[in-house]
Amino acid sequence: MQQDLYFFGGGKAEGRGDMKDVLGGKGAGLAEMTNAGIPVPPGFTIATGVCLEFQKEGGQTPKRVTESQVTYLARLEELMGKKLGQADDPLLVSVRSGAKFSMPGMMDTILNLGLNDESVHGLAKKTENPRFAWDCYRRFIQMFANVVLNLDKDIFEEVLEELKKARGVESDTDLTEEDLTGLVDTYKQIVNDHAGQSFPQDPSVQLAMARDAVFSSWNNPRAIYYRKQNKIPDDLGTAVNVQVMVYGNMGDDCATGVGFTRNPATGEKEFYGEYLVNAQGEDVVAGTRTPQPIAGLEQAMPEVYRELREITTRLENHYRDVQDFEFTIEQNKLYLLQTRSGKRTGTAAVRIAVEMVHEGLIDKAEAVLRVPAEDLNQLLHPRVDPAKRPTALATGLPASPGAASGHAVFLADDAFKQAEAGKPVILIRAETNPDDIHGMDAAEGIITSRGGMTSHAAVVARGMGKPCVAGCGSMRVDAKAKQCSVGDTTVSEGDWVTIDGSTGELMVGRADLIEPEIGGEFGVFMKWTDEFRKMGVRANADLPRDAEKAQSFGAEGIGLCRTEHMFFGEDRIRIVRDMILSAGEFKNLEIELNAAKSDLKSRVGAEKVRVEERLEKIKEAIKEPSEKYLGSLSKLLPLQREDFKGVLKSMAGFPVTIRTLDPPMHEFLPSAQELSVEIAVAEERGESSPELDDKKALLSRVEHLHEQNPMLGHRGCRLGVTFPEITAMQAQAIIEAACELKQEGHDVFPEIMIPLVGTHKELENQRHVVDQVAKRTMEQRGVEVDYLVGTMIEIPRAAITADEVAQSAQFFSFGTNDLTQMTLGFSRDDVAHFLPEYIKKGILKEDPFISIDQIGVGDLMRVAVKRGRSVNEKLKIGICGEHGGDPESVFFCHRLGLQYVSCSPFRVPIARLAAAQAALMARKPAEVSAMA
């Protein structure tokens, strides 16, 4: 029989710390701490499976759970010696969420549950602190109304702000008992007016409604969005933790706070966190009051501080990881409310992993597995150029490292919309709340005027790897007017601003940013990854500077050098256009010429004379297009040779895969629409000139080259088959560059990749051209160069017939961008119109252009690997689509047995780490499971 509820209290818990699947992270932590003798307020946890049943049954909690809840509440009441909400001495509880994976602020919490119009007097009498009792009651009404009854919390906040203004006070703590009593009456009236019901007075009804609201919050928009962004499955559910309330807001001998055993932003080994005297936990994380650094607690409450340090150090050593903890001090007695592995920035994750290895807490393998591969992206954020640093307008707290510039925006919706339109934005808020998650994700960085280092903005920004400045108190934010001000300076929506999350500074204007480099703990950590990984990691790079950057990040070669990107320079595009415009005419005349030559062999007499005359006319006609076409190729040859020489030299000692020309010809030509308009305007003006005639000729050729579906048209190897001179020119440029570099003493390893192959005959045709040119060039140069010829597997037919294709290929490289496009039938350019709906409705789990569709596209890859190696055991196989930098795709490639992945230069460290983790996961599954 399944167990739905788990009790903890009295020094013993029914659950354990390794039961996160059942108890959620928070519940498992509470059970573990209770069993370890740590002071934890008692309570019980309702299992995650109940949440899934609740969702399945349309928002109804199973009857058996409700019945068990009555039993468990009675156990809690017996332990505490009082009943929930009893009039003279009420037991009060908190109701909190807690999923397997930490989702800070994404789901809901209710505090002070059990208060009503009678028990508030009992609490006042028992504590001899009426102000405290009424403060708890007004907080409870506001939270319950917002979380359970779905009322806008701003309605209550506005009333509170008006009251403080009327009383001439700054803080909630300055309001009197009479003020709070009146506020409770006002809050209850708001509930009655907006919810259409009176505030519930029965504590058991309150508990049932709160429990169900927390279960419902598993599927609120921000939780769904957070899971999507962090790849957390939707079918886990949340537990509900019902826990006895302890109070940090009873007076000056009370406090509440949150902390980390190490700095979650930098990784420094320091006791880190914040606290507030005479406050509840929501005050710290909500940012409504700016808290004090936790170090100040040592002077304010030295005994409690020492106990807190001792307990949290024990917790870190026990879990062998940084702990994120919440605590409350009630009348100088310490209680731990939560512990969990702390969310941290990529910078902190790397430093902590390295230092914990040096401290003997974990080994290298565990360190490598500890850091999420995607988090390394945070270490690659730019910083403000110190030589050109703008003057700081204001300074707050350095909540999340890195610098960012963007247009100022003041609403999350505006941030999301403007970012979608391609504008970089900085989100400026008084404080953020969970409803801002989409805008925070879209922004380049976040700055708030209120809140501290553990506020919502700080925690979420660190998790996203975005720069954040919090608690910038001198900045006044007016979200309605869409502006903020510091002194006499006003920043309005659209103005450029820069924030530095490492220093806490806000600067007006757009700053110059400097790209980061690998070094220090990061360098040590990346060397460890290379000790474990089996796959190589290359970069997609088209220029020497890109190759150099990739090599600085640890790339072991280039997996994709796109030659077409070299053609768009101003000194080249005209040559390329001349080549294109003359190529078709030259090819048609060449076909006629060959046909005439063949025809001539069978003719005699007068017929032979006629054919000879036609042959001479064709020879004359072909001269000009031949000179233009072949002349253009001869002009491009030295340019391409220097291009390839630069890339090969920058990656000397490593293989460089160079793809021959891939895109359709029309991409190098101007728009037919633009040309038509220019011609029409010129003719309307009565103009007549050779330039106009050239434009008309160009328009004719552009229209002739137009294709209804160019991505499936005359491109890739099809260009090389119909225009072998282009393939020959590129092959000659590659081999000549390699020969020259070898003569200069450089080790170079060019790999020539033929794109868009669908049949083995296409590859045979193109390889023959390459091999002929290579042989001739090396003989002329007197140099032998090791080179390979292979193909991209990007057409489903090539994957299915890989055993045939492999007979002519020395390597395969999966072009997963096009392979995904052709397998799913999705146009990369148009899929954005419907793909979000597909993901939202669960038709697709995630964007297949970001992470490999392992069932469909992945199965084609499996087939290609198996069949290709069945005829060529030495066949080198890699991947060069952008999926090569996606950790999940890297794991998949490791399982397939690929030799390497290739990705953009800035994702090389991510791919290196993912490859190491894939190897470790395959080798040590038990260890991975234990650390999950």
Side-chain angles (χ1 to χ4, degrees):
M1 182 178 177
Q2 74 182 74
Q3 184 172 347
D4 297 313
L5 284 81
Y6 294 78
F7 195 83
F8 56 90
K12 187 177 180 180
E14 293 176 344
R16 301 184 309 277
D18 60 359
M19 294 175 64
K20 290 183 180 180
D21 283 337
V22 177
L23 303 177
K26 186 173 294 182
L30 291 169
E32 190 82 350
M33 287 194 293
T34 300
N35 287 328
I38 290 170
V40 173
F44 56 87
T45 299
I46 306 174
T48 56
V50 178
C51 177
L52 300 179
E53 288 188 66
F54 175 87
Q55 306 290 346
K56 186 177 179 181
E57 295 301 321
Q60 295 293 320
T61 298
K63 184 178 179 182
R64 71 174 193 283
V65 175
T66 299
E67 291 172 350
S68 295
Q69 182 176 299
V70 172
T71 302
Y72 273 72
L73 179 60
R75 286 179 62 183
L76 185 60
E77 290 173 332
E78 182 179 359
L79 179 66
M80 299 305 296
K82 49 186 167 184
K83 292 187 177 296
L84 182 68
Q86 76 181 43
D88 59 340
D89 184 14
L91 171 66
L92 304 180
V93 297
S94 63
V95 182
R96 300 171 184 260
S97 61
K100 176 181 179 180
F101 299 107
S102 177
M103 296 171 56
M106 297 302 109
M107 291 178 289
D108 291 325
T109 293
I110 297 100
L111 304 179
N112 307 317
L113 189 143
L115 281 172
N116 57 27
D117 292 349
E118 291 185 4
S119 61
V120 66
H121 294 287
L123 181 64
K125 185 176 180 180
K126 185 69 179 178
T127 61
E128 298 180 352
N129 191 340
R131 188 203 172 281
F132 156 74
W134 288 101
D135 184 45
C136 290
Y137 195 16
R138 69 93 184 171
R139 289 171 182 269
F140 173 48
I141 295 171
Q142 179 174 348
M143 292 186 82
F144 191 94
N146 174 236
V147 172
V148 181
L149 303 178
N150 295 313
L151 299 189
D152 189 342
K153 58 182 173 291
D154 288 343
I155 301 173
F156 299 91
E157 285 295 329
E158 287 173 6
V159 171
L160 178 61
E161 290 300 317
E162 287 174 6
L163 178 60
K164 288 194 292 185
K165 187 176 180 180
R167 297 292 184 268
V169 298
E170 288 286 331
S171 175
D172 305 358
T173 58
D174 295 323
L175 294 175
T176 65
E177 174 192 345
E178 290 74 18
D179 292 331
L180 294 170
T181 304
L183 196 59
V184 164
D185 289 337
T186 304
Y187 278 7
K188 288 194 295 182
Q189 188 60 48
I190 290 173
V191 170
N192 193 67
D193 293 343
H194 289 79
Q197 65 179 81
S198 57
F199 187 79
Q201 296 292 307
D202 186 337
S204 61
V205 172
Q206 293 174 355
L207 181 57
M209 293 175 72
R211 174 202 63 203
D212 291 352
V214 172
F215 279 147
S216 295
S217 71
W218 173 252
N219 279 330
N220 70 38
R222 62 180 183 268
I224 292 171
Y225 185 91
Y226 186 89
R227 290 199 298 273
K228 175 186 170 186
Q229 295 306 105
N230 291 276
K231 297 186 177 181
I232 297 173
D234 288 326
D235 59 357
L236 299 178
T238 181
V240 170
N241 298 285
V242 178
Q243 192 174 16
V244 170
M245 285 292 303
V246 288
Y247 293 96
N249 62 328
M250 292 178 68
D252 290 341
D253 58 353
C254 304
T256 188
V258 296
F260 295 80
T261 51
R262 304 191 188 213
N263 189 314
T266 67
E268 184 178 352
K269 191 175 182 180
E270 62 171 335
F271 198 53
Y272 178 97
E274 296 169 324
Y275 78 105
L276 280 170
V277 172
N278 195 17
Q280 286 197 332
E282 64 187 278
D283 297 327
V284 178
V285 297
T288 52
R289 290 169 58 187
T290 300
Q292 301 299 311
I294 201 167
L297 188 62
E298 185 173 17
Q299 288 187 335
M301 302 178 184
E303 291 298 323
V304 174
Y305 178 81
R306 280 193 288 274
E307 183 184 6
L308 180 63
R309 287 299 307 269
E310 186 272 328
I311 288 173
T312 53
T313 300
R314 280 172 55 197
L315 289 171
E316 178 176 285
N317 291 334
H318 175 74
Y319 286 105
R320 298 179 305 118
D321 197 7
V322 177
Q323 293 302 291
D324 167 7
F325 55 88
E326 295 180 14
F327 66 93
T328 288
I329 303 164
E330 181 180 292
Q331 296 178 326
N332 289 311
K333 180 173 175 54
L334 174 67
Y335 295 91
L336 267 290
L337 306 182
Q338 172 177 284
T339 191
R340 60 188 176 191
S341 292
K343 292 280 186 182
R344 66 208 79 171
T345 64
T347 301
V350 169
R351 178 173 178 176
I352 290 166
V354 171
E355 291 187 352
M356 283 191 166
V357 170
H358 295 327
E359 293 165 19
L361 285 174
I362 59 176
D363 60 19
K364 290 181 184 178
E366 192 168 351
V368 167
L369 288 165
R370 277 274 177 91
V371 180
E374 197 66 51
D375 283 5
L376 292 190
N377 192 40
Q378 300 171 23
L379 279 78
L380 307 175
H381 288 311
R383 57 191 175 88
V384 177
D385 184 348
K388 303 176 183 177
R389 191 178 188 90
T391 302
L393 175 65
T395 301
L397 301 171
S400 186
S405 292
H407 299 279
V409 293
F410 297 87
L411 299 175
D413 287 344
D414 291 343
F416 185 79
K417 291 173 185 175
Q418 292 189 33
E420 273 203 325
K423 290 180 67 174
V425 298
I426 301 294
L427 180 60
I428 302 174
R429 301 282 282 160
E431 75 238 6
T432 62
N433 62 65
D435 292 332
D436 292 330
I437 183 73
H438 60 303
M440 298 174 72
D441 187 45
E444 301 294 317
I446 302 109
I447 180 169
T448 64
S449 61
R450 295 201 289 262
M453 300 289 280
T454 52
S455 64
H456 177 267
V459 171
V460 173
R462 284 197 294 268
M464 291 178 171
K466 293 181 182 291
C468 177
V469 175
C472 189
S474 62
M475 179 179 70
R476 296 287 176 263
V477 179
D478 187 341
K480 289 184 178 179
K482 297 188 176 182
Q483 63 183 31
C484 68
S485 60
V486 178
D488 295 331
T489 303
T490 298
V491 174
S492 300
E493 183 173 68
D495 292 347
W496 276 96
V497 293
T498 298
I499 63 168
D500 189 334
S502 301
T503 64
E505 290 175 300
L506 167 66
M507 293 158 270
V508 174
R510 186 178 187 177
D512 291 336
L513 304 179
I514 296 176
E515 301 297 338
E517 296 178 357
I518 292 180
E521 288 95 353
F522 191 19
V524 170
F525 180 79
M526 294 311 300
K527 286 180 181 177
W528 292 350
T529 69
D530 295 338
E531 293 177 17
F532 298 109
R533 65 184 171 90
K534 305 298 183 185
M535 285 194 303
V537 177
R538 303 187 189 181
N540 301 339
D542 309 325
L543 300 170
R545 66 171 181 268
D546 297 332
E548 289 164 6
K549 174 60 70 176
Q551 200 166 33
S552 74
F553 286 142
E556 301 161 319
I558 292 177
L560 175 61
C561 176
R562 291 158 286 217
T563 57
E564 60 269 12
H565 290 183
M566 301 170 175
F567 287 163
F568 286 103
E570 287 188 18
D571 59 334
R572 305 178 184 209
I573 192 65
R574 186 170 293 278
I575 301 173
V576 175
R577 286 178 178 174
D578 286 344
M579 177 190 76
I580 294 169
L581 293 172
S582 56
E585 186 180 359
F586 166 77
K587 189 56 59 179
N588 290 335
L589 288 168
E590 186 182 52
I591 292 170
E592 284 188 46
L593 185 66
N594 291 332
K597 286 179 179 179
S598 178
D599 193 21
L600 187 64
K601 295 175 183 178
S602 61
R603 302 294 181 176
V604 295
E607 289 185 355
K608 183 176 181 179
V609 172
R610 282 197 296 272
V611 174
E612 287 175 339
E613 290 175 351
R614 182 160 63 89
L615 192 59
E616 289 304 313
K617 288 181 180 178
I618 295 172
K619 287 180 179 179
E620 188 63 30
I622 204 174
K623 283 182 181 179
E624 184 178 351
S626 174
E627 289 174 0
K628 285 185 176 181
Y629 174 54
L630 299 178
S632 298
L633 290 173
S634 67
K635 291 177 183 178
L636 287 172
L637 174 64
L639 298 174
Q640 285 266 274
R641 181 173 59 241
E642 290 306 306
D643 291 334
F644 299 142
K645 191 173 179 181
V647 174
L648 286 165
K649 184 177 181 180
S650 66
M651 273 290 173
F654 294 109
V656 175
T657 304
I658 301 171
R659 184 178 70 186
T660 55
L661 194 61
D662 183 43
M665 290 288 198
H666 79 270
E667 288 196 9
F668 299 103
L669 299 176
S671 159
Q673 185 177 2
E674 290 176 3
L675 281 172
S676 297
V677 170
E678 290 175 13
I679 291 169
V681 170
E683 289 180 336
E684 182 69 23
R685 293 173 178 168
E687 297 177 7
S688 178
S689 65
E691 289 79 9
L692 182 58
D693 292 338
D694 288 344
K695 280 187 179 180
K696 289 180 178 179
L698 181 58
L699 175 61
S700 175
R701 189 68 185 132
V702 169
E703 290 174 339
H704 178 75
L705 288 170
H706 172 74
E707 295 177 303
Q708 294 298 326
N709 192 345
M711 295 309 293
L712 297 179
H714 194 191
R715 55 173 285 224
C717 68
R718 300 160 195 172
L719 281 173
V721 170
T722 52
F723 300 107
E725 300 84 5
I726 297 176
T727 301
M729 180 274 291
Q730 292 196 299
Q732 183 178 343
I734 293 168
I735 300 301
E736 285 182 354
C739 288
E740 290 182 11
L741 287 169
K742 190 166 184 181
Q743 288 174 321
E744 294 171 10
H746 300 286
D747 291 327
V748 291
F749 303 99
E751 298 178 348
I752 301 172
M753 184 161 66
I754 310 300
L756 216 71
V757 163
T759 75
H760 70 286
K761 291 289 186 182
E762 289 172 317
L763 182 56
E764 283 178 14
N765 174 284
Q766 290 295 280
R767 180 168 181 182
H768 178 70
V769 173
V770 172
D771 285 342
Q772 276 192 324
V773 170
K775 181 181 178 182
R776 182 179 69 245
T777 303
M778 288 189 288
E779 287 175 351
Q780 291 171 349
R781 298 273 179 156
V783 179
E784 282 290 326
V785 173
D786 292 329
Y787 72 96
L788 300 179
V789 180
T791 185
M792 291 183 81
I793 302 296
E794 50 191 332
I795 293 180
R797 190 184 190 280
I800 294 168
T801 62
D803 50 345
E804 294 181 354
V805 177
Q807 294 176 31
S808 299
Q810 293 170 290
F811 68 88
F812 284 170
S813 181
F814 287 106
T816 48
N817 298 340
D818 269 348
L819 187 59
T820 298
Q821 183 168 235
M822 296 190 195
T823 301
L824 287 166
F826 289 170
S827 164
R828 276 183 293 165
D829 298 326
D830 303 313
V831 73
H833 295 301
F834 61 86
L835 188 58
E837 275 304 300
Y838 270 50
I839 295 171
K840 179 180 178 182
K841 293 179 178 178
I843 295 171
L844 289 177
K845 183 179 177 182
E846 55 193 325
D847 186 339
F849 291 104
I850 293 176
S851 195
I852 290 173
D853 162 32
Q854 296 183 21
I855 296 174
V857 174
D859 209 42
L860 284 173
M861 294 172 69
R862 289 188 195 94
V863 168
V865 170
K866 183 178 179 180
R867 294 185 180 178
R869 286 185 174 149
S870 71
V871 298
N872 184 354
E873 291 181 358
K874 296 182 179 178
L875 186 69
K876 184 191 295 187
I877 306 179
I879 176 176
C880 63
E882 277 304 309
H883 295 95
D886 167 61
E888 286 298 323
S889 300
V890 173
F891 299 158
F892 178 69
C893 291
H894 176 90
R895 293 195 296 272
L896 284 187
L898 270 56
Q899 276 110 330
Y900 70 87
V901 297
S902 188
C903 55
S904 61
F906 280 90
R907 294 196 72 82
V908 165
I910 295 170
R912 288 167 64 192
L913 175 54
Q917 291 174 336
L920 285 167
M921 287 174 182
R923 197 177 78 184
K924 304 171 90 172
E927 178 183 337
V928 175
S929 177
M931 282 185 283

